[in-house]
């Protein structure tokens, strides 16, 4: 009996010692700021002061930091992903859907409402018409380019029991197209363009939400050809005779592959295109002059590359000057879908400005356009940011007026705001930093 009691105590002490050791390692280990596999910034503790302790800021920051920097976290998460993939054969792992040799994104189930989509399409088109008016007010030209995301391009590859958003897209794109026509805004929808080309598989990434270089090139070419046709310009369009295309040997996991810790590799590689007759140019990022290059080339042939190969990743503002005042200037705005297009577009303009709407905060897009008055403004966004998105906000819920004000000031076409509860499973997963599995 005594031996059994001592054994129980030893187990308890050993377990508590393990927890104490894990906590000690977590507290003393360096707090890196970026998670390569999760493609996100890790939580950082708030500054410790009397004020932050009293107002709750510092205590509230402790739990996310411990979650993100726990000792052995990546190893345990990789083991969990391996078990889900190869032991339990789950159809969705860490919001990734392995299917047909691809890594697709999981889409929550939905019941599209045509009336809601129509209203949101009208609101989006109206907002773009206001931007168009700003551009045309000083004699410029405005174009909006809508590109499919991975889930749209490979919608046929989703298992039947998962949502490919095909029903939503079938309502969304016609509604948005009609709304843009009613507003008289120039819309270039790359969906039909890619359909006419037979939707080659290599045009889009098998392991990431974006298009591959080939899809970006088709988008770049379609934009310049439309500008030349509509505006009577003679902009240079790089093609097979004037462009050297090279596929890098470096491994590329893509954002989906990283989410499952490289356990499923689609064997993809990234491609770059360099003009055979290069032109001199200068480049500045966020007001600081930087290297005159449009590709962040890896130092070796073996290191992993990211989508930040194109334009060095997501930068709030980039300005490229080519010193050819006889050519027009252009502003390209959007998100990471613009990056590989920018790698080619600068060649045809005197000045190319680009704005990443997620990172540029100095002024509104309309004010930026008015300040610099580029001859041509081109917005490039994927279908997912067209009408119909829902923002889920988990803080400042006690002050909805502050949330509304921040969204409006950030340029969001706000249709409504409401408070909804989450079920206990969702709340628990959010608290522990976990990911729902199907």
């Amino acid at each position: 009996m005594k031996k059994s009691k001592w054994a129980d105590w030893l187990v308890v002490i050993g377990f508590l010692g393990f927890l104490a050791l894990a906590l000690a390692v977590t507290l003393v280990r360096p707090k890196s700021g970026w998670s390569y596999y999760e493609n996100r910034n890790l939580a950082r503790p708030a500054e410790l002061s009397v004020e932050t302790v009293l107002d709750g800021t510092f205590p509230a920051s402790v739990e996310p930091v411990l979650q993100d920097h726990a000792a052995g976290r990546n190893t345990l998460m990789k083991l969990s992903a391996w078990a889900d993939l190869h032991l339990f054969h789950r159809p969705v792992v860490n919001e990734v859907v392995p299917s047909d040799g691809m890594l697709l994104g999981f889409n929550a189930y939905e019941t599209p409402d045509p009336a809601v989509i129509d209203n949101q399409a009208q609101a989006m088109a109206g907002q773009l018409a206001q931007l168009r008016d700003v551009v045309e007010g000083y004699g410029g030209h405005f174009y909006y380019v809508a590109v499919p995301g991975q889930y749209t391009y490979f919608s046929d590859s989703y298992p039947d029991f998962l949502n490919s958003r095909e029903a939503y897209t079938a309502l969304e794109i016609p509604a948005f197209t009609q709304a843009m026509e009613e507003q008289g805004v120039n819309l270039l929808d790359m969906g039909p363009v890619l359909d006419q080309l037979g939707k080659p598989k290599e045009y889009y990434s098998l392991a990431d939400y974006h298009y591959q270089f080939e899809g970006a090139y088709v988008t770049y070419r379609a934009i310049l050809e439309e500008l030349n046709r509509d505006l009577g310009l003679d902009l240079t369009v790089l093609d097979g005779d004037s462009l050297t295309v090279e596929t890098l040997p470096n491994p590329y996991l893509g954002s989906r592959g990283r989410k499952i810790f490289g356990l499923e590799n689609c064997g993809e590689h990234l491609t770059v295109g360099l003009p055979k007759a290069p032109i001199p140019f200068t480049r500045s990022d966020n007001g600081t002059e930087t290297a005159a290059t449009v590709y962040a080339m890896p130092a070796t042939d073996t290191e992993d590359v990211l989508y930040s190969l194109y334009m060095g990743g997501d930068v709030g503002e980039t300005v490229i000057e080519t010193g050819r005042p006889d050519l027009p200037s252009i502003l390209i705005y959007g998100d990471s879908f613009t990056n590989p297009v920018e790698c080619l577009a600068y060649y045809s303009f005197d000045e190319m400005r680009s704005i990443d709407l997620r990172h540029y905060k100095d002024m509104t897009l309309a004010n930026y356009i008015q300040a610099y008055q580029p001859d041509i403004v081109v917005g490039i966004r994927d279908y997912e940011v067209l009408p119909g998105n829902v923002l889920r906000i988990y803080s400042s819920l006690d002050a909805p007026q502050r949330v509304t004000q921040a969204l409006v000031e950030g340029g969001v076409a706000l249709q409504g705001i409401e408070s909804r509860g989450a079920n206990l499973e969702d709340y628990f997963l959010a608290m522990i930093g976990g990911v729902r599995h199907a």
Side-chain angles (χ1 to χ4, degrees), residues 323-346:
R324 298 174 296 173
D326 54 312
L327 294 176
S329 59
I330 187 171
L331 166 65
I332 300 175
Y333 77 86
D335 49 29
S336 47
F337 269 92
T338 72
N339 294 351
V341 173
E342 294 167 29
C343 291
L344 302 169
Y346 79 94

Side-chain angles (χ1 to χ4, degrees), residues 269-287:
H269 298 275
L270 293 184
T271 299
V272 299
L274 296 168
K276 293 180 179 178
I279 58 172
F281 64 89
T282 61
R283 172 176 174 170
S284 65
D285 290 344
N286 299 321

Side-chain angles (χ1 to χ4, degrees), residues 144-218:
Y144 188 86
V145 183
V147 297
Q150 188 206 42
Y151 72 76
T152 304
Y153 200 75
F154 293 127
S155 60
D156 292 342
S157 296
Y158 277 84
D160 292 339
F161 55 86
L162 292 179
N163 180 21
S164 68
R165 304 207 78 194
E166 192 169 10
Y168 182 86
T169 304
L171 294 171
E172 173 194 32
I173 300 306
F176 183 65
T177 301
Q178 180 178 344
M180 292 287 275
E181 288 178 356
E182 292 172 357
Q183 292 285 353
V185 181
N186 295 317
L187 172 65
L188 173 57
D189 181 3
M190 288 303 299
V193 176
L194 293 164
D195 287 343
Q196 289 177 4
L197 295 172
K199 293 177 65 174
K201 192 173 184 179
E202 64 271 17
Y203 279 20
Y204 267 68
S205 176
L206 305 178
D208 194 275
Y209 186 69
H210 303 95
Y211 36 39
Q212 272 279 20
F213 177 82
E214 291 82 354
Y217 173 79
V218 170

Side-chain angles (χ1 to χ4, degrees), residues 379-399:
I380 303 176
R381 307 300 299 271
D382 63 284
Y383 285 177
E384 190 169 4
V385 299
L386 295 181
N389 290 313
V390 175
L391 296 177
R392 293 175 176 85
I393 300 169
Y394 298 100
S395 62
S396 299
L397 299 182
D398 58 338

Side-chain angles (χ1 to χ4, degrees), residues 141 143 226-233 375-376:
H141 305 276
Y143 288 80
E226 181 144 336
L227 293 177
N228 283 338
R229 181 173 57 252
D230 288 358
L231 307 179
L233 300 175
D375 298 315
I376 299 167

Side-chain angles (χ1 to χ4, degrees), residues 16-31 66 69-71:
L16 292 176
F18 171 78
L19 292 180
L21 178 62
L23 179 60
V25 172
T26 299
L27 292 174
V28 302
R29 68 186 301 203
K31 303 294 188 291
L66 293 178
H69 300 279

Side-chain angles (χ1 to χ4, degrees), residues 249-399:
N250 303 70
Y252 174 65
L253 293 178
S255 59
R256 313 264 194 242
R258 298 206 307 277
K259 278 188 174 183
I260 55 175
F261 298 87
L263 295 171
E264 295 284 329
N265 192 338
C266 297
E268 272 198 306
H269 298 275
L270 293 184
T271 299
V272 299
L274 296 168
K276 293 180 179 178
I279 58 172
F281 64 89
T282 61
R283 172 176 174 170
S284 65
D285 290 344
N286 299 321
T288 302
E289 188 169 352
T290 186
T293 180
V294 293
Y295 295 105
M297 299 295 284
T300 68
D301 290 344
T302 56
E303 63 188 276
D304 287 1
V305 292
L306 305 176
Y307 206 71
S308 56
L309 170 73
Y310 303 113
M311 293 299 292
D314 302 326
V315 180
E317 178 198 39
T318 294
V319 180
I320 290 182
E321 303 271 4
T322 68
R324 298 174 296 173
D326 54 312
L327 294 176
S329 59
I330 187 171
L331 166 65
I332 300 175
Y333 77 86
D335 49 29
S336 47
F337 269 92
T338 72
N339 294 351
V341 173
E342 294 167 29
C343 291
L344 302 169
Y346 79 94
Y347 194 86
S348 304
F349 297 91
D350 172 42
E351 176 188 79
M352 182 189 76
R353 292 178 175 270
S354 65
I355 292 291
D356 189 317
L357 297 177
R358 301 164 301 172
H359 302 287
Y360 184 77
K361 306 298 180 185
D362 290 357
M363 64 182 86
T364 66
L365 178 59
N367 288 343
Y368 188 92
I369 292 171
Q370 188 63 58
Y372 294 102
Q373 299 192 358
D375 298 315
I376 299 167
V377 176
V378 176
I380 303 176
R381 307 300 299 271
D382 63 284
Y383 285 177
E384 190 169 4
V385 299
L386 295 181
N389 290 313
V390 175
L391 296 177
R392 293 175 176 85
I393 300 169
Y394 298 100
S395 62
S396 299
L397 299 182
D398 58 338

